[in-house]
Each structure stands twice: as C-alpha cells, then as structure tokens.
Amino acid sequence: KVDAKIKPQSVGVEGKSVIAKQQWIHGSPDCDSNQDPAVDVYQHDLNSYIIRQNKCLTFEAPFIYVLVGKHTILVLDTGALEGADFSIYKVIENTLGKNILDNRKILVAHSHGHSDHHQGDAHFDGHSNVTLIQPSEESVVEHFGFDNWPGDQKAIDLGNRRLTVMPTPGHQAQAITIYDQQTKWLMTGDTLFPGYIYVKNWDAFRESIDRLATFAGKHEVTAILGTHIEAKNTRGSFYP
C-alpha cells in the first residue's frame, strides 16, 4: 500500500544522512561475472523511492527519483538503459504495484537533457495516464509555465504533496532542480553531486547556485540529491 500522507523519515542521529541506505550496488571489478540486478531500489518511506542503475550495465549508474502523491506520481529521469530486455516502467510497476500505477497520473520529467537521463522514456509509451515532458528547454518552460526563465519558480501538486520546480541551467540549458516539501529533498540532477561537474555555461551555473543557496537558506533541506556518485578506488572516497 502506498500512503500519500506518510510523514518523511527523520534524521535520528545528528550529522547522520537522512538517506538510510548506506551501500548501493556499484558494479564489479569484472562485470562479466556480475550477478547484481539491473537496478537497486531504495524505499525511503511508503511513497518516496530512489532507483539506481547497475554500473556494470551503464558506467553512468544514474539515479532515478519516484515520488508518489494522492493523484500523481512524479518520475524524475528515466535512466540510461534502453532496449527490450529492460524497462524502467516495469521496475516502477513492480515496486509500487500495478494498481497504483494504473490509477494515478504519471508525470515524467528530466533533471536535464543528457541521454543518460532519458534513455528510458520509450518505456512509458502506450500508457494513456503518462505525461512525458520532452528533455528540451522549450518543453520544460511550456509544461511548467515559466514566465521568467530561469529566474522564477513553479509549484506543482501531486496530491497532498507539493513540489517546487526551479530552473538551474549551467550544466545544461534546460536543467531543473526539484524540492519536495514532504521529504525536504533538493533533487539537483547534475547541477550538484559528489563528483566531477561539467559546466557548459559558467555565468548561468553561478546564478543557478546562488538561487539554490538562497532557496536552501529559506527552506529546510534534509538532503541534496544529485544523479550520480563518482567514487575513487579508495573505499569511502569520492572525487572532489
């Protein structure tokens, strides 16, 4: 059962991450012998999920966020895997249950337009309850109704679950960040994550970071969640 009114998981120990999962499936030294599933699914609460794709199947190993509201499910990014032998739609259906997926609207959005974040879009084809926002600046502006891109924000309601959508170009022109008032997650795509961040437009990137810092100063943020982790070969170490 998915309860759209469930309260988010709280931080039990000062300084401890709000994300309870400590170890992700991250590939193998020899991927030919890797027996891990294609995805690693973390259930944060009854209606908040993070899905990570196996690094042996895609070196990007992107994260996908699934937020369930009373009438709408947000799927943020669809990952880097495509083809007949894998479906991110089926992963979500198996995770939430067919009844939940069939009886709610599904909004598919993208943190930005790089291919490792929208290769799974085709898996949502043929479902009448799906609205898929194309990964382009024009489509993002049109769907959310931005009046002053990238300076404004837009709110969407999934049903007892309010999200704030903020333009954060720099890494890519159509990049967005989404804040979830339930979990207090700030989902930043490739704008912020533990690893090398490639910046296409430095002026836009600086302005985006300024807006995020201002927003975070006015709102409770329990976690800043990007779409990749880039680890060094030393256990517990990440690239700066």
Side-chain angles (χ1 to χ4, degrees):
K1 180 181 177 181
V2 177
D3 182 358
K5 296 182 180 180
I6 193 72
K7 292 183 178 179
Q9 187 173 332
S10 61
V11 179
V13 179
E14 185 176 356
K16 182 179 179 181
S17 172
V18 70
I19 304 300
K21 187 174 179 63
Q22 299 299 309
Q23 183 70 43
W24 294 91
I25 293 174
H26 55 271
S28 303
D30 177 13
C31 283
D32 289 338
S33 61
N34 183 270
Q35 299 297 313
D36 292 327
V39 293
D40 194 359
V41 179
Y42 164 63
Q43 181 178 357
H44 182 71
D45 58 31
L46 286 181
N47 59 350
S48 306
Y49 298 81
I50 304 174
I51 300 170
R52 191 191 193 195
Q53 296 185 328
N54 189 334
K55 203 172 185 69
C56 274
L57 299 179
T58 164
F59 74 93
E60 299 283 7
F63 289 92
I64 297 161
Y65 297 93
V66 180
L67 307 179
V68 181
K70 187 176 182 180
H71 56 66
T72 302
I73 299 167
L74 173 73
V75 178
L76 182 59
D77 289 343
T78 61
L81 299 179
E82 57 182 345
D85 56 345
F86 175 82
S87 167
I88 190 61
Y89 182 91
K90 278 296 184 183
V91 170
I92 297 171
E93 182 180 75
N94 292 338
T95 300
L96 301 182
K98 181 175 173 56
N99 184 60
I100 293 294
L101 224 55
D102 287 348
N103 289 285
R104 282 174 169 82
K105 297 176 183 178
I106 302 171
L107 176 63
V108 180
H110 306 89
S111 61
H112 61 293
H114 287 152
S115 61
D116 53 310
H117 301 277
H118 64 76
Q119 293 283 61
D121 284 5
H123 303 153
F124 292 84
D125 289 348
H127 298 279
S128 60
N129 60 333
V130 171
T131 297
L132 190 148
I133 307 169
Q134 293 298 322
S136 69
E137 182 178 338
E138 180 181 3
S139 296
V140 171
V141 170
E142 179 180 356
H143 179 85
F144 291 113
F146 286 108
D147 302 310
N148 183 33
W149 177 280
D152 53 347
Q153 304 172 2
K154 288 296 178 179
I156 58 174
D157 186 8
L158 306 181
N160 292 338
R161 189 166 197 172
R162 186 177 174 88
L163 309 178
T164 301
V165 184
M166 295 171 280
T168 47
H171 174 72
Q172 197 179 40
Q174 63 265 41
I176 59 172
T177 289
I178 294 182
Y179 176 74
D180 173 29
Q181 289 191 3
Q182 176 174 301
T183 57
K184 315 298 184 188
W185 288 350
L186 194 63
M187 291 163 282
T188 55
D190 282 7
T191 298
L192 285 176
F193 68 91
Y196 286 117
I197 296 174
Y198 296 91
V199 177
K200 183 76 171 179
N201 184 324
W202 272 107
D203 288 338
F205 184 77
R206 290 186 186 98
E207 292 172 1
S208 294
I209 298 302
D210 283 345
R211 286 193 298 272
L212 285 180
T214 299
F215 182 90
K218 297 177 180 178
H219 299 79
E220 180 185 357
V221 176
T222 60
I224 297 174
L225 301 176
T227 43
H228 303 284
I229 295 175
E230 293 181 352
K232 291 183 177 181
N233 58 5
T234 303
R235 182 178 178 86
S237 298
F238 301 95
Y239 287 110

